[in-house]
Amino acid sequence: MDTESHTRLRSENRRCKLAILSRGDAASRREATPQNSRFVRVFEALAASGIEAVPVVYDETFADAVRDQLLTMDGVLVWVDPIHQGKTRAALDPLLREVAAERPWVSAHPDVILKMGVKDVLYRTRHLGWGADTHRYATVDAFRAEFPARLRAGGPRVLKQNRGNGGQGVWKVETVPNTDATIRVLHALRGSQPEEMPLGDFMARCEQYFGWGGCIIDQAFQPRLPEGMIRCYVSGAKVAGFGHQLIKALIPPPPQGPDSSEAQPGPRIMHGPDAPQFQALRRLMEDEWIPQMMAALTIDEASLPVIWDADFLYGPRDADGADTYVLCEINASSCFAIPDEAPAAIAQTVRDRIGRNMASVR
């Protein structure tokens, strides 16, 4: 933060207010406090930095009241999934754009999410070092014309709807040997089991994704998936920690069934940004991939989300036997849970951003 912005923010801390926005019903809105929030450690870190943060619960049924409340704030941190119990962000995103245009600084801004927090980022950044064999179907006609041949030619594929979370709309697709048109599919949603069906029937099932997300992304399946996923947490442009988890999505369930303990993912083991085993990935992110992503997507550093994560699978080992990494998703709408070190990083980034924003509007 520049000296002028720092001095201005310090002198005005008593009226610098930040909203932490999450989804809930009317009762949770009435009862929300920093202490009973799942973001309590973030509230504490912000308070230690001299920023007053308040919980704001959103639902479409009282959106006007939320808008009025947000317009009294200096900034807004948003933790709302793209899809939650059948509800989307179709009404929330225009509200946040309206609020951001008036005064408060909003993170992540909906326009930034549409650049980096959707599966299309996998296609737009496929040329970076984190990229893989990735294709984009912008229309139903393109999907029907191109996907069957690609599937038959190159082994298992993973199809992903553009906007979603929790494995919704993510499918492993592979051909069934000695058949012409039968495929085997497995949904990444927890509890799913493999299904065999005609390719045409499955493609018809996927057509709904064009209505909500606008496209379907197609990546080569990564054989090292059983070794786990590495979640790289980032605040602004700096790595704030890591999480490693043995996931079970897109892996056929064991004989005990999809609801058995053996079919459940392992715990996500959190690490700070200095964890030795992830320093190669950290250097790649901070020195190469984040700057390259910003250039490819035309996002400046001040617009990067206060907290976001990049999910990586292990790619093929290189000629020296070292791990490579393949990006499978970026989460920018609702990145939580987070490592113990992340709240302090969030607070620092918030302080810098609000200071700059307050200086720019005067």
Side-chain angles (χ1 to χ4, degrees), residues 197-231:
M197 65 178 66
L199 175 58
D201 290 356
F202 172 71
M203 295 179 73
R205 179 187 295 184
C206 293
E207 289 182 8
Q208 62 179 314
Y209 301 143
F210 291 95
W212 159 233
C215 68
I216 289 177
I217 301 301
D218 172 5
Q219 282 189 306
F221 178 76
Q222 297 301 316
R224 295 182 67 189
L225 173 67
E227 296 180 45
M229 183 184 74
I230 301 169
R231 178 161 285 180

PDB file of all heavy atoms in Angstrom, residues 197-231:
ATOM      1  N   MET A 197     -24.386 -46.332 -21.218  1.00  0.00           N
ATOM      2  CA  MET A 197     -25.529 -45.836 -21.988  1.00  0.00           C
ATOM      3  C   MET A 197     -25.070 -45.482 -23.389  1.00  0.00           C
ATOM      4  O   MET A 197     -23.866 -45.342 -23.638  1.00  0.00           O
ATOM      5  CB  MET A 197     -26.130 -44.606 -21.306  1.00  0.00           C
ATOM      6  CG  MET A 197     -25.209 -43.386 -21.268  1.00  0.00           C
ATOM      7  SD  MET A 197     -26.003 -41.950 -20.508  1.00  0.00           S
ATOM      8  CE  MET A 197     -26.203 -42.543 -18.833  1.00  0.00           C
ATOM      9  N   PRO A 198     -26.008 -45.287 -24.300  1.00  0.00           N
ATOM     10  CA  PRO A 198     -25.643 -44.810 -25.629  1.00  0.00           C
ATOM     11  C   PRO A 198     -25.044 -43.409 -25.556  1.00  0.00           C
ATOM     12  O   PRO A 198     -25.509 -42.566 -24.768  1.00  0.00           O
ATOM     13  CB  PRO A 198     -26.970 -44.811 -26.391  1.00  0.00           C
ATOM     14  CG  PRO A 198     -27.833 -45.783 -25.658  1.00  0.00           C
ATOM     15  CD  PRO A 198     -27.442 -45.652 -24.216  1.00  0.00           C
ATOM     16  N   LEU A 199     -24.025 -43.169 -26.367  1.00  0.00           N
ATOM     17  CA  LEU A 199     -23.378 -41.867 -26.369  1.00  0.00           C
ATOM     18  C   LEU A 199     -24.378 -40.755 -26.653  1.00  0.00           C
ATOM     19  O   LEU A 199     -24.337 -39.690 -26.016  1.00  0.00           O
ATOM     20  CB  LEU A 199     -22.258 -41.846 -27.411  1.00  0.00           C
ATOM     21  CG  LEU A 199     -21.551 -40.506 -27.639  1.00  0.00           C
ATOM     22  CD1 LEU A 199     -20.939 -39.971 -26.355  1.00  0.00           C
ATOM     23  CD2 LEU A 199     -20.490 -40.651 -28.727  1.00  0.00           C
ATOM     24  N   GLY A 200     -25.296 -40.975 -27.587  1.00  0.00           N
ATOM     25  CA  GLY A 200     -26.273 -39.943 -27.917  1.00  0.00           C
ATOM     26  C   GLY A 200     -27.138 -39.565 -26.744  1.00  0.00           C
ATOM     27  O   GLY A 200     -27.476 -38.384 -26.555  1.00  0.00           O
ATOM     28  N   ASP A 201     -27.520 -40.546 -25.918  1.00  0.00           N
ATOM     29  CA  ASP A 201     -28.350 -40.245 -24.745  1.00  0.00           C
ATOM     30  C   ASP A 201     -27.586 -39.392 -23.742  1.00  0.00           C
ATOM     31  O   ASP A 201     -28.145 -38.467 -23.138  1.00  0.00           O
ATOM     32  CB  ASP A 201     -28.797 -41.542 -24.071  1.00  0.00           C
ATOM     33  CG  ASP A 201     -29.820 -42.323 -24.896  1.00  0.00           C
ATOM     34  OD1 ASP A 201     -30.236 -41.805 -25.955  1.00  0.00           O
ATOM     35  OD2 ASP A 201     -30.181 -43.437 -24.485  1.00  0.00           O
ATOM     36  N   PHE A 202     -26.317 -39.721 -23.556  1.00  0.00           N
ATOM     37  CA  PHE A 202     -25.529 -38.934 -22.611  1.00  0.00           C
ATOM     38  C   PHE A 202     -25.345 -37.509 -23.109  1.00  0.00           C
ATOM     39  O   PHE A 202     -25.455 -36.543 -22.333  1.00  0.00           O
ATOM     40  CB  PHE A 202     -24.165 -39.579 -22.383  1.00  0.00           C
ATOM     41  CG  PHE A 202     -23.229 -38.733 -21.572  1.00  0.00           C
ATOM     42  CD1 PHE A 202     -23.445 -38.546 -20.209  1.00  0.00           C
ATOM     43  CD2 PHE A 202     -22.153 -38.086 -22.168  1.00  0.00           C
ATOM     44  CE1 PHE A 202     -22.601 -37.751 -19.459  1.00  0.00           C
ATOM     45  CE2 PHE A 202     -21.304 -37.290 -21.430  1.00  0.00           C
ATOM     46  CZ  PHE A 202     -21.525 -37.119 -20.069  1.00  0.00           C
ATOM     47  N   MET A 203     -25.077 -37.327 -24.388  1.00  0.00           N
ATOM     48  CA  MET A 203     -24.891 -35.987 -24.913  1.00  0.00           C
ATOM     49  C   MET A 203     -26.171 -35.167 -24.786  1.00  0.00           C
ATOM     50  O   MET A 203     -26.128 -33.970 -24.497  1.00  0.00           O
ATOM     51  CB  MET A 203     -24.410 -36.054 -26.366  1.00  0.00           C
ATOM     52  CG  MET A 203     -23.021 -36.691 -26.490  1.00  0.00           C
ATOM     53  SD  MET A 203     -22.423 -36.823 -28.187  1.00  0.00           S
ATOM     54  CE  MET A 203     -22.052 -35.116 -28.525  1.00  0.00           C
ATOM     55  N   ALA A 204     -27.318 -35.803 -24.962  1.00  0.00           N
ATOM     56  CA  ALA A 204     -28.582 -35.100 -24.765  1.00  0.00           C
ATOM     57  C   ALA A 204     -28.731 -34.651 -23.311  1.00  0.00           C
ATOM     58  O   ALA A 204     -29.239 -33.559 -23.029  1.00  0.00           O
ATOM     59  CB  ALA A 204     -29.747 -36.002 -25.167  1.00  0.00           C
ATOM     60  N   ARG A 205     -28.272 -35.485 -22.385  1.00  0.00           N
ATOM     61  CA  ARG A 205     -28.318 -35.126 -20.961  1.00  0.00           C
ATOM     62  C   ARG A 205     -27.487 -33.867 -20.690  1.00  0.00           C
ATOM     63  O   ARG A 205     -27.825 -33.065 -19.818  1.00  0.00           O
ATOM     64  CB  ARG A 205     -27.810 -36.295 -20.123  1.00  0.00           C
ATOM     65  CG  ARG A 205     -27.788 -36.043 -18.630  1.00  0.00           C
ATOM     66  CD  ARG A 205     -27.122 -37.183 -17.868  1.00  0.00           C
ATOM     67  NE  ARG A 205     -27.854 -38.439 -17.956  1.00  0.00           N
ATOM     68  CZ  ARG A 205     -27.505 -39.552 -17.296  1.00  0.00           C
ATOM     69  NH1 ARG A 205     -26.415 -39.549 -16.520  1.00  0.00           N
ATOM     70  NH2 ARG A 205     -28.213 -40.649 -17.417  1.00  0.00           N
ATOM     71  N   CYS A 206     -26.387 -33.709 -21.421  1.00  0.00           N
ATOM     72  CA  CYS A 206     -25.474 -32.586 -21.172  1.00  0.00           C
ATOM     73  C   CYS A 206     -25.929 -31.280 -21.815  1.00  0.00           C
ATOM     74  O   CYS A 206     -25.351 -30.224 -21.524  1.00  0.00           O
ATOM     75  CB  CYS A 206     -24.076 -32.928 -21.687  1.00  0.00           C
ATOM     76  SG  CYS A 206     -23.257 -34.261 -20.781  1.00  0.00           S
ATOM     77  N   GLU A 207     -26.928 -31.327 -22.697  1.00  0.00           N
ATOM     78  CA  GLU A 207     -27.324 -30.111 -23.404  1.00  0.00           C
ATOM     79  C   GLU A 207     -27.790 -29.005 -22.463  1.00  0.00           C
ATOM     80  O   GLU A 207     -27.669 -27.816 -22.773  1.00  0.00           O
ATOM     81  CB  GLU A 207     -28.408 -30.437 -24.428  1.00  0.00           C
ATOM     82  CG  GLU A 207     -27.892 -31.220 -25.621  1.00  0.00           C
ATOM     83  CD  GLU A 207     -28.962 -31.502 -26.656  1.00  0.00           C
ATOM     84  OE1 GLU A 207     -30.086 -30.955 -26.504  1.00  0.00           O
ATOM     85  OE2 GLU A 207     -28.697 -32.258 -27.609  1.00  0.00           O
ATOM     86  N   GLN A 208     -28.312 -29.373 -21.300  1.00  0.00           N
ATOM     87  CA  GLN A 208     -28.772 -28.361 -20.343  1.00  0.00           C
ATOM     88  C   GLN A 208     -27.652 -27.438 -19.901  1.00  0.00           C
ATOM     89  O   GLN A 208     -27.894 -26.289 -19.519  1.00  0.00           O
ATOM     90  CB  GLN A 208     -29.371 -29.042 -19.119  1.00  0.00           C
ATOM     91  CG  GLN A 208     -28.365 -29.909 -18.365  1.00  0.00           C
ATOM     92  CD  GLN A 208     -28.935 -30.570 -17.141  1.00  0.00           C
ATOM     93  OE1 GLN A 208     -29.618 -29.935 -16.337  1.00  0.00           O
ATOM     94  NE2 GLN A 208     -28.666 -31.873 -16.981  1.00  0.00           N
ATOM     95  N   TYR A 209     -26.409 -27.895 -19.943  1.00  0.00           N
ATOM     96  CA  TYR A 209     -25.292 -27.087 -19.464  1.00  0.00           C
ATOM     97  C   TYR A 209     -25.041 -25.861 -20.338  1.00  0.00           C
ATOM     98  O   TYR A 209     -24.485 -24.867 -19.871  1.00  0.00           O
ATOM     99  CB  TYR A 209     -24.020 -27.926 -19.381  1.00  0.00           C
ATOM    100  CG  TYR A 209     -24.133 -29.129 -18.468  1.00  0.00           C
ATOM    101  CD1 TYR A 209     -23.507 -30.329 -18.789  1.00  0.00           C
ATOM    102  CD2 TYR A 209     -24.881 -29.073 -17.291  1.00  0.00           C
ATOM    103  CE1 TYR A 209     -23.605 -31.443 -17.962  1.00  0.00           C
ATOM    104  CE2 TYR A 209     -24.987 -30.182 -16.462  1.00  0.00           C
ATOM    105  CZ  TYR A 209     -24.358 -31.365 -16.800  1.00  0.00           C
ATOM    106  OH  TYR A 209     -24.457 -32.463 -15.977  1.00  0.00           O
ATOM    107  N   PHE A 210     -25.448 -25.908 -21.581  1.00  0.00           N
ATOM    108  CA  PHE A 210     -25.265 -24.740 -22.444  1.00  0.00           C
ATOM    109  C   PHE A 210     -26.184 -23.598 -22.015  1.00  0.00           C
ATOM    110  O   PHE A 210     -25.839 -22.433 -22.177  1.00  0.00           O
ATOM    111  CB  PHE A 210     -25.506 -25.111 -23.906  1.00  0.00           C
ATOM    112  CG  PHE A 210     -24.454 -26.014 -24.471  1.00  0.00           C
ATOM    113  CD1 PHE A 210     -24.629 -27.395 -24.498  1.00  0.00           C
ATOM    114  CD2 PHE A 210     -23.270 -25.498 -24.963  1.00  0.00           C
ATOM    115  CE1 PHE A 210     -23.654 -28.233 -25.014  1.00  0.00           C
ATOM    116  CE2 PHE A 210     -22.285 -26.324 -25.479  1.00  0.00           C
ATOM    117  CZ  PHE A 210     -22.478 -27.704 -25.501  1.00  0.00           C
ATOM    118  N   GLY A 211     -27.348 -23.924 -21.459  1.00  0.00           N
ATOM    119  CA  GLY A 211     -28.270 -22.880 -21.031  1.00  0.00           C
ATOM    120  C   GLY A 211     -27.780 -22.097 -19.837  1.00  0.00           C
ATOM    121  O   GLY A 211     -27.927 -20.868 -19.778  1.00  0.00           O
ATOM    122  N   TRP A 212     -27.160 -22.769 -18.886  1.00  0.00           N
ATOM    123  CA  TRP A 212     -26.705 -22.082 -17.662  1.00  0.00           C
ATOM    124  C   TRP A 212     -25.290 -21.548 -17.817  1.00  0.00           C
ATOM    125  O   TRP A 212     -25.023 -20.376 -17.553  1.00  0.00           O
ATOM    126  CB  TRP A 212     -26.781 -23.050 -16.478  1.00  0.00           C
ATOM    127  CG  TRP A 212     -25.919 -22.718 -15.284  1.00  0.00           C
ATOM    128  CD1 TRP A 212     -25.017 -23.539 -14.673  1.00  0.00           C
ATOM    129  CD2 TRP A 212     -25.884 -21.507 -14.533  1.00  0.00           C
ATOM    130  NE1 TRP A 212     -24.434 -22.925 -13.619  1.00  0.00           N
ATOM    131  CE2 TRP A 212     -24.941 -21.668 -13.492  1.00  0.00           C
ATOM    132  CE3 TRP A 212     -26.555 -20.290 -14.625  1.00  0.00           C
ATOM    133  CZ2 TRP A 212     -24.656 -20.671 -12.561  1.00  0.00           C
ATOM    134  CZ3 TRP A 212     -26.262 -19.288 -13.698  1.00  0.00           C
ATOM    135  CH2 TRP A 212     -25.334 -19.487 -12.684  1.00  0.00           C
ATOM    136  N   GLY A 213     -24.382 -22.378 -18.314  1.00  0.00           N
ATOM    137  CA  GLY A 213     -22.987 -21.974 -18.336  1.00  0.00           C
ATOM    138  C   GLY A 213     -22.484 -21.445 -19.660  1.00  0.00           C
ATOM    139  O   GLY A 213     -21.445 -20.804 -19.717  1.00  0.00           O
ATOM    140  N   GLY A 214     -23.214 -21.743 -20.746  1.00  0.00           N
ATOM    141  CA  GLY A 214     -22.826 -21.209 -22.035  1.00  0.00           C
ATOM    142  C   GLY A 214     -21.871 -22.072 -22.829  1.00  0.00           C
ATOM    143  O   GLY A 214     -21.687 -21.841 -24.025  1.00  0.00           O
ATOM    144  N   CYS A 215     -21.235 -23.050 -22.210  1.00  0.00           N
ATOM    145  CA  CYS A 215     -20.302 -23.914 -22.944  1.00  0.00           C
ATOM    146  C   CYS A 215     -20.021 -25.149 -22.105  1.00  0.00           C
ATOM    147  O   CYS A 215     -20.392 -25.233 -20.933  1.00  0.00           O
ATOM    148  CB  CYS A 215     -18.997 -23.182 -23.277  1.00  0.00           C
ATOM    149  SG  CYS A 215     -17.968 -22.782 -21.842  1.00  0.00           S
ATOM    150  N   ILE A 216     -19.344 -26.114 -22.726  1.00  0.00           N
ATOM    151  CA  ILE A 216     -18.837 -27.299 -22.037  1.00  0.00           C
ATOM    152  C   ILE A 216     -17.340 -27.381 -22.314  1.00  0.00           C
ATOM    153  O   ILE A 216     -16.891 -27.185 -23.453  1.00  0.00           O
ATOM    154  CB  ILE A 216     -19.544 -28.583 -22.511  1.00  0.00           C
ATOM    155  CG1 ILE A 216     -20.996 -28.613 -22.010  1.00  0.00           C
ATOM    156  CG2 ILE A 216     -18.801 -29.826 -22.016  1.00  0.00           C
ATOM    157  CD1 ILE A 216     -21.781 -29.820 -22.496  1.00  0.00           C
ATOM    158  N   ILE A 217     -16.565 -27.669 -21.289  1.00  0.00           N
ATOM    159  CA  ILE A 217     -15.121 -27.815 -21.408  1.00  0.00           C
ATOM    160  C   ILE A 217     -14.778 -29.304 -21.364  1.00  0.00           C
ATOM    161  O   ILE A 217     -15.344 -30.065 -20.580  1.00  0.00           O
ATOM    162  CB  ILE A 217     -14.388 -27.046 -20.296  1.00  0.00           C
ATOM    163  CG1 ILE A 217     -14.741 -25.561 -20.364  1.00  0.00           C
ATOM    164  CG2 ILE A 217     -12.887 -27.253 -20.395  1.00  0.00           C
ATOM    165  CD1 ILE A 217     -14.401 -24.883 -21.683  1.00  0.00           C
ATOM    166  N   ASP A 218     -13.843 -29.697 -22.203  1.00  0.00           N
ATOM    167  CA  ASP A 218     -13.466 -31.098 -22.387  1.00  0.00           C
ATOM    168  C   ASP A 218     -11.959 -31.221 -22.165  1.00  0.00           C
ATOM    169  O   ASP A 218     -11.161 -30.616 -22.881  1.00  0.00           O
ATOM    170  CB  ASP A 218     -13.857 -31.497 -23.820  1.00  0.00           C
ATOM    171  CG  ASP A 218     -13.349 -32.871 -24.249  1.00  0.00           C
ATOM    172  OD1 ASP A 218     -12.757 -33.583 -23.412  1.00  0.00           O
ATOM    173  OD2 ASP A 218     -13.541 -33.199 -25.431  1.00  0.00           O
ATOM    174  N   GLN A 219     -11.570 -31.990 -21.147  1.00  0.00           N
ATOM    175  CA  GLN A 219     -10.157 -32.218 -20.849  1.00  0.00           C
ATOM    176  C   GLN A 219      -9.835 -33.705 -20.883  1.00  0.00           C
ATOM    177  O   GLN A 219     -10.703 -34.542 -20.604  1.00  0.00           O
ATOM    178  CB  GLN A 219      -9.794 -31.692 -19.444  1.00  0.00           C
ATOM    179  CG  GLN A 219      -9.608 -30.200 -19.335  1.00  0.00           C
ATOM    180  CD  GLN A 219      -9.032 -29.834 -17.968  1.00  0.00           C
ATOM    181  OE1 GLN A 219      -9.567 -30.209 -16.937  1.00  0.00           O
ATOM    182  NE2 GLN A 219      -7.934 -29.098 -17.969  1.00  0.00           N
ATOM    183  N   ALA A 220      -8.590 -34.011 -21.180  1.00  0.00           N
ATOM    184  CA  ALA A 220      -8.129 -35.393 -21.055  1.00  0.00           C
ATOM    185  C   ALA A 220      -8.132 -35.806 -19.585  1.00  0.00           C
ATOM    186  O   ALA A 220      -7.756 -35.026 -18.710  1.00  0.00           O
ATOM    187  CB  ALA A 220      -6.727 -35.534 -21.641  1.00  0.00           C
ATOM    188  N   PHE A 221      -8.572 -37.012 -19.313  1.00  0.00           N
ATOM    189  CA  PHE A 221      -8.536 -37.553 -17.958  1.00  0.00           C
ATOM    190  C   PHE A 221      -7.087 -37.734 -17.517  1.00  0.00           C
ATOM    191  O   PHE A 221      -6.237 -38.187 -18.285  1.00  0.00           O
ATOM    192  CB  PHE A 221      -9.272 -38.894 -17.920  1.00  0.00           C
ATOM    193  CG  PHE A 221      -9.250 -39.567 -16.582  1.00  0.00           C
ATOM    194  CD1 PHE A 221     -10.052 -39.143 -15.558  1.00  0.00           C
ATOM    195  CD2 PHE A 221      -8.391 -40.646 -16.360  1.00  0.00           C
ATOM    196  CE1 PHE A 221     -10.029 -39.771 -14.311  1.00  0.00           C
ATOM    197  CE2 PHE A 221      -8.361 -41.285 -15.123  1.00  0.00           C
ATOM    198  CZ  PHE A 221      -9.185 -40.837 -14.102  1.00  0.00           C
ATOM    199  N   GLN A 222      -6.798 -37.373 -16.259  1.00  0.00           N
ATOM    200  CA  GLN A 222      -5.444 -37.471 -15.718  1.00  0.00           C
ATOM    201  C   GLN A 222      -5.291 -38.774 -14.927  1.00  0.00           C
ATOM    202  O   GLN A 222      -5.912 -38.946 -13.881  1.00  0.00           O
ATOM    203  CB  GLN A 222      -5.129 -36.269 -14.837  1.00  0.00           C
ATOM    204  CG  GLN A 222      -5.139 -34.945 -15.576  1.00  0.00           C
ATOM    205  CD  GLN A 222      -4.142 -34.900 -16.718  1.00  0.00           C
ATOM    206  OE1 GLN A 222      -2.988 -35.338 -16.584  1.00  0.00           O
ATOM    207  NE2 GLN A 222      -4.569 -34.398 -17.877  1.00  0.00           N
ATOM    208  N   PRO A 223      -4.456 -39.707 -15.397  1.00  0.00           N
ATOM    209  CA  PRO A 223      -4.352 -41.011 -14.741  1.00  0.00           C
ATOM    210  C   PRO A 223      -3.852 -40.960 -13.299  1.00  0.00           C
ATOM    211  O   PRO A 223      -4.089 -41.897 -12.527  1.00  0.00           O
ATOM    212  CB  PRO A 223      -3.356 -41.767 -15.634  1.00  0.00           C
ATOM    213  CG  PRO A 223      -3.404 -41.078 -16.954  1.00  0.00           C
ATOM    214  CD  PRO A 223      -3.669 -39.644 -16.635  1.00  0.00           C
ATOM    215  N   ARG A 224      -3.152 -39.878 -12.904  1.00  0.00           N
ATOM    216  CA  ARG A 224      -2.635 -39.806 -11.536  1.00  0.00           C
ATOM    217  C   ARG A 224      -3.670 -39.231 -10.551  1.00  0.00           C
ATOM    218  O   ARG A 224      -3.321 -38.935  -9.407  1.00  0.00           O
ATOM    219  CB  ARG A 224      -1.356 -38.967 -11.513  1.00  0.00           C
ATOM    220  CG  ARG A 224      -0.197 -39.597 -12.290  1.00  0.00           C
ATOM    221  CD  ARG A 224       1.063 -38.758 -12.209  1.00  0.00           C
ATOM    222  NE  ARG A 224       1.616 -38.726 -10.854  1.00  0.00           N
ATOM    223  CZ  ARG A 224       2.618 -37.938 -10.471  1.00  0.00           C
ATOM    224  NH1 ARG A 224       3.179 -37.106 -11.361  1.00  0.00           N
ATOM    225  NH2 ARG A 224       3.075 -37.962  -9.233  1.00  0.00           N
ATOM    226  N   LEU A 225      -4.909 -39.150 -10.976  1.00  0.00           N
ATOM    227  CA  LEU A 225      -5.967 -38.646 -10.096  1.00  0.00           C
ATOM    228  C   LEU A 225      -5.989 -39.325  -8.726  1.00  0.00           C
ATOM    229  O   LEU A 225      -6.157 -38.648  -7.700  1.00  0.00           O
ATOM    230  CB  LEU A 225      -7.316 -38.796 -10.789  1.00  0.00           C
ATOM    231  CG  LEU A 225      -8.571 -38.469  -9.965  1.00  0.00           C
ATOM    232  CD1 LEU A 225      -8.622 -36.978  -9.641  1.00  0.00           C
ATOM    233  CD2 LEU A 225      -9.835 -38.881 -10.720  1.00  0.00           C
ATOM    234  N   PRO A 226      -5.803 -40.648  -8.619  1.00  0.00           N
ATOM    235  CA  PRO A 226      -5.839 -41.277  -7.295  1.00  0.00           C
ATOM    236  C   PRO A 226      -4.770 -40.780  -6.329  1.00  0.00           C
ATOM    237  O   PRO A 226      -4.873 -41.029  -5.119  1.00  0.00           O
ATOM    238  CB  PRO A 226      -5.656 -42.770  -7.607  1.00  0.00           C
ATOM    239  CG  PRO A 226      -6.177 -42.929  -9.003  1.00  0.00           C
ATOM    240  CD  PRO A 226      -5.762 -41.670  -9.700  1.00  0.00           C
ATOM    241  N   GLU A 227      -3.723 -40.091  -6.829  1.00  0.00           N
ATOM    242  CA  GLU A 227      -2.702 -39.551  -5.936  1.00  0.00           C
ATOM    243  C   GLU A 227      -3.147 -38.267  -5.252  1.00  0.00           C
ATOM    244  O   GLU A 227      -2.423 -37.749  -4.390  1.00  0.00           O
ATOM    245  CB  GLU A 227      -1.411 -39.308  -6.718  1.00  0.00           C
ATOM    246  CG  GLU A 227      -0.791 -40.578  -7.275  1.00  0.00           C
ATOM    247  CD  GLU A 227       0.487 -40.303  -8.052  1.00  0.00           C
ATOM    248  OE1 GLU A 227       1.326 -39.522  -7.557  1.00  0.00           O
ATOM    249  OE2 GLU A 227       0.637 -40.864  -9.156  1.00  0.00           O
ATOM    250  N   GLY A 228      -4.308 -37.768  -5.623  1.00  0.00           N
ATOM    251  CA  GLY A 228      -4.864 -36.633  -4.900  1.00  0.00           C
ATOM    252  C   GLY A 228      -4.837 -35.339  -5.678  1.00  0.00           C
ATOM    253  O   GLY A 228      -4.255 -35.231  -6.759  1.00  0.00           O
ATOM    254  N   MET A 229      -5.484 -34.355  -5.093  1.00  0.00           N
ATOM    255  CA  MET A 229      -5.579 -33.017  -5.666  1.00  0.00           C
ATOM    256  C   MET A 229      -4.870 -32.039  -4.737  1.00  0.00           C
ATOM    257  O   MET A 229      -5.006 -32.120  -3.512  1.00  0.00           O
ATOM    258  CB  MET A 229      -7.046 -32.600  -5.812  1.00  0.00           C
ATOM    259  CG  MET A 229      -7.260 -31.237  -6.461  1.00  0.00           C
ATOM    260  SD  MET A 229      -9.012 -30.784  -6.479  1.00  0.00           S
ATOM    261  CE  MET A 229      -9.254 -30.370  -4.739  1.00  0.00           C
ATOM    262  N   ILE A 230      -4.130 -31.106  -5.328  1.00  0.00           N
ATOM    263  CA  ILE A 230      -3.460 -30.057  -4.563  1.00  0.00           C
ATOM    264  C   ILE A 230      -4.227 -28.763  -4.779  1.00  0.00           C
ATOM    265  O   ILE A 230      -4.364 -28.302  -5.920  1.00  0.00           O
ATOM    266  CB  ILE A 230      -2.001 -29.877  -5.000  1.00  0.00           C
ATOM    267  CG1 ILE A 230      -1.229 -31.172  -4.825  1.00  0.00           C
ATOM    268  CG2 ILE A 230      -1.337 -28.760  -4.195  1.00  0.00           C
ATOM    269  CD1 ILE A 230       0.138 -31.145  -5.471  1.00  0.00           C
ATOM    270  N   ARG A 231      -4.721 -28.192  -3.723  1.00  0.00           N
ATOM    271  CA  ARG A 231      -5.428 -26.906  -3.790  1.00  0.00           C
ATOM    272  C   ARG A 231      -4.458 -25.812  -3.361  1.00  0.00           C
ATOM    273  O   ARG A 231      -3.962 -25.823  -2.227  1.00  0.00           O
ATOM    274  CB  ARG A 231      -6.663 -26.933  -2.896  1.00  0.00           C
ATOM    275  CG  ARG A 231      -7.443 -25.634  -2.863  1.00  0.00           C
ATOM    276  CD  ARG A 231      -8.857 -25.860  -2.349  1.00  0.00           C
ATOM    277  NE  ARG A 231      -9.665 -26.513  -3.391  1.00  0.00           N
ATOM    278  CZ  ARG A 231     -10.948 -26.836  -3.237  1.00  0.00           C
ATOM    279  NH1 ARG A 231     -11.562 -26.593  -2.081  1.00  0.00           N
ATOM    280  NH2 ARG A 231     -11.616 -27.405  -4.233  1.00  0.00           N
TER     281      ARG A 231
END
